[in-house]
Amino acid sequence: MPKDLNLTSLKPAQSQKDRKRVGRGIGSGKGRYSGRGIKGQKSRSGSHKMRAGFEGGQMPIYMRLGKLRGATSKDAMPIGPFRTSTAPVNVGSLDRFDDGAEVTPESLVEKGLLKNTKTDVKLLGSGELKKKLTIRVHGISATAREKVEKAGGTVSLLKEPKVKKRKKHGKPKPVAAAATTAAETTEPPEAAEVPEPDSTEEQAPEAE
């Protein structure tokens, strides 16, 4: 700090750049068109407030590219507005628990395997497990369940798995009725009976 500090010696700690003053005559260097050029969308007022991804009206890049196909219902994972993604944890990471401990989402956060309990936890089967643990998670794979039960542990789900509904493709015909219909169609038609000539009838006289 200078010794003689007064109003004439005051100045900012960092040099301040003067703002750009446009439209103040041709001699200023930013007059006439104010640095925006002649005509066009970007010379108009409000032209620099376009939303992100706007390309002047042409088909934007995010609409020109191909889309990922698939169902977007709330049962789909993790596509669509009803996202149901889970936080994966492998059985090989459970070695840091003591033998006989209870594994819950809260205990996984304490051990540093999860950041928080906002997302459902799914146990996957990568790695080996040699400790007997009581596991309470939202989902588990078949391989992980097999390894946990092989080590003597138990698994209980915090959320019941959804049962997928099978689509019905019309009512099937009864087996007996179908067999009867098939037999009727394959049976050959009966031959029409031809009447035999009567021997008692008189024969016409032959012409001489």
Side-chain angles (χ1 to χ4, degrees):
M1 180 179 288
K3 295 180 180 179
D4 299 331
L5 183 63
N6 51 41
L7 294 176
T8 59
S9 63
L10 285 177
K11 60 180 181 180
Q14 295 178 352
S15 59
Q16 211 169 17
K17 186 178 179 181
D18 295 336
R19 70 181 182 87
K20 189 194 329 184
R21 300 177 75 241
V22 297
R24 296 296 187 272
I26 297 175
S28 66
K30 293 293 180 184
R32 195 171 184 179
Y33 301 116
S34 302
R36 294 193 177 197
I38 305 174
K39 298 185 181 179
Q41 184 178 14
K42 290 186 178 180
S43 70
R44 317 298 184 189
S45 62
S47 62
H48 299 282
K49 297 180 181 178
M50 292 178 286
R51 59 175 174 78
F54 182 68
E55 298 183 15
Q58 74 174 15
M59 188 65 68
I61 185 67
Y62 65 86
M63 294 183 70
R64 295 199 299 269
L65 296 177
K67 312 299 187 299
L68 291 176
R69 306 303 178 189
T72 53
S73 65
K74 62 181 179 181
D75 295 327
M77 183 183 78
I79 308 170
F82 307 98
R83 294 176 185 268
T84 56
S85 56
T86 55
V89 177
N90 288 303
V91 293
S93 305
L94 303 181
D95 284 338
R96 60 187 71 184
F97 287 92
D98 297 330
D99 196 7
E102 184 179 6
V103 180
T104 60
E106 291 77 14
S107 63
L108 290 171
V109 173
E110 292 177 3
K111 294 290 184 179
L113 294 173
L114 289 178
K115 290 184 178 180
N116 51 54
T117 57
K118 295 179 181 179
T119 311
D120 293 351
V121 183
K122 184 171 183 179
L123 191 65
L124 303 179
S126 179
E128 296 298 328
L129 182 65
K130 298 180 180 179
K131 295 182 179 179
K132 181 180 179 181
L133 301 173
T134 303
I135 298 174
R136 302 180 189 279
V137 291
H138 300 90
I140 186 171
S141 66
T143 308
R145 182 185 290 274
E146 182 182 349
K147 291 183 178 181
V148 171
E149 293 176 351
K150 186 178 180 180
T154 57
V155 177
S156 59
L157 297 180
L158 299 176
K159 184 185 289 186
E160 292 296 327
K162 292 184 179 180
V163 180
K164 292 185 178 180
K165 297 180 180 179
R166 295 183 178 179
K167 294 182 179 180
K168 296 180 180 179
H169 300 285
K171 295 182 179 179
K173 293 183 178 181
V175 179
T180 308
T181 309
E184 290 177 356
T185 54
T186 54
E187 195 172 299
E190 295 181 357
E193 294 182 0
V194 180
E196 296 180 359
D198 193 356
S199 59
T200 58
E201 291 181 0
E202 295 182 0
Q203 297 179 358
E206 294 180 0
E208 293 180 359

